[in-house]
Amino acid sequence: DAGVIQSPRHEVTEMGQEVTLRCKPISGHDYLFWYRQTMMRGLELLIYFNNNVPIDDSGMPEDRFSAKMPNASFSTLKIQPSEPRDSAVYFCASSFRGGARGNTIYFGEGSWLTVV
Amino acid sequence: SQQGEEDPQALSIQEGENATMNCSYKTSINNLQWYRQNSGRGLVHLILIRSNEREKHSGRLRVTLDTSKKSSSLLITASRAADTASYFCATDGVQGAQKLVFGQGTRLTINP
């Protein structure tokens, strides 16, 4: 299996621009998670989906952030407009039957976002 | 707020020595997992321990869990330079939720 695939791997954008991060989960997985990692705040869960339905978006920092999962093999995280404080590594992860049942969460390699 | 908190934040040891990292959490859990992150990469699952288990081994890894103290430890024996990475504990902690909450991690450096 190819694992969780994220794109782009690196993006540098100007403040105010729209940013779209993409994720392809592992085939057959029914949970998809978006995490953000920064030095100051560590690894934060932004939102997660089960069977393409958003379950918990309490970690989404503000209305500038939105996430969608139109089908089982694709999800997007969008930031509009972007701000310098959004600079971080954004990870997509997927699992079968979720993490709380002791199932492994598989991470992508991350999208490194820099907003200047 | 973070559910798991690792201690120490950074650890530097000589190759061949054992490395011990600790994790404390706040609420009841079903399972606790440890993950590893190499610099610039995603997290990779290492080992899981369930709430009814006290100790688990996998190769050079040994994990313990003390639910009365809400703490866990990860021991890496006979460390190698390739073990240099950040190590995170992850807990569920919220009943019915399928998400994992990660601690801040311990940055482990193995000096050759």
Side-chain angles (χ1 to χ4, degrees):
Chain A
D1 200 316
V4 177
I5 299 173
Q6 291 187 245
S7 65
R9 286 295 317 277
H10 299 272
E11 176 148 352
V12 180
T13 190
E14 291 185 347
M15 183 174 60
Q17 295 298 306
E18 177 179 293
V19 174
T20 300
L21 308 178
R22 298 173 177 80
C23 175
K24 177 179 169 57
I26 293 173
S27 177
H29 282 187
D30 56 348
Y31 281 83
L32 184 138
F33 306 84
W34 281 101
Y35 285 88
R36 176 172 70 176
Q37 187 176 37
T38 61
M39 289 293 293
M40 291 295 294
R41 300 177 67 87
L43 199 62
E44 305 172 276
L45 177 65
L46 301 178
I47 185 171
Y48 78 97
F49 296 82
N50 175 218
N51 292 323
N52 315 336
V53 176
I55 303 299
D56 184 350
D57 64 356
S58 60
M60 297 285 264
E62 49 199 272
D63 292 344
R64 297 184 298 107
F65 286 70
S66 62
K68 295 181 179 179
M69 191 166 187
N71 57 62
S73 59
F74 184 66
S75 177
T76 60
L77 178 67
K78 187 173 292 186
I79 308 172
Q80 167 63 18
S82 58
E83 297 181 1
R85 61 192 168 120
D86 301 330
S87 297
V89 185
Y90 291 83
F91 287 102
C92 177
S94 70
S95 75
F96 180 56
R97 294 183 180 167
R101 295 175 189 169
N103 297 293
T104 298
I105 291 182
Y106 295 84
F107 282 76
E109 295 288 54
S111 291
W112 295 67
L113 174 65
T114 302
V115 183
V116 297
Chain B
S1 62
Q2 301 282 354
Q3 163 73 325
E5 296 292 340
E6 284 92 343
D7 170 58
Q9 291 188 356
L11 178 63
S12 180
I13 61 174
Q14 294 300 118
E15 194 167 21
E17 295 180 340
N18 296 341
T20 299
M21 289 158 276
N22 303 296
C23 168
S24 60
Y25 56 91
K26 298 175 182 175
T27 62
S28 297
I29 61 171
N30 296 313
N31 310 282
L32 186 143
Q33 303 185 35
W34 284 90
Y35 285 74
R36 165 193 170 128
Q37 183 181 31
N38 287 353
S39 181
R41 307 295 297 274
L43 281 73
V44 176
H45 178 260
L46 291 176
I47 193 167
L48 173 148
I49 188 164
R50 301 189 186 278
S51 58
N52 61 354
E53 298 176 312
R54 292 297 166 256
E55 187 171 311
K56 201 161 183 180
H57 296 256
S58 176
R60 294 185 295 112
L61 304 180
R62 173 179 165 243
V63 171
T64 62
L65 180 64
D66 187 335
T67 53
S68 67
K69 295 182 179 178
K70 292 186 170 58
S71 67
S72 174
S73 67
L74 172 67
L75 168 67
I76 303 174
T77 60
S79 62
R80 305 167 182 170
D83 295 328
T84 294
S86 292
Y87 292 82
F88 296 84
C89 67
T91 56
D92 44 50
V94 179
Q95 190 171 10
Q98 295 302 324
K99 61 187 181 182
L100 290 182
V101 179
F102 288 80
Q104 293 277 22
T106 293
R107 175 67 189 172
L108 175 65
T109 302
I110 308 298
N111 302 303

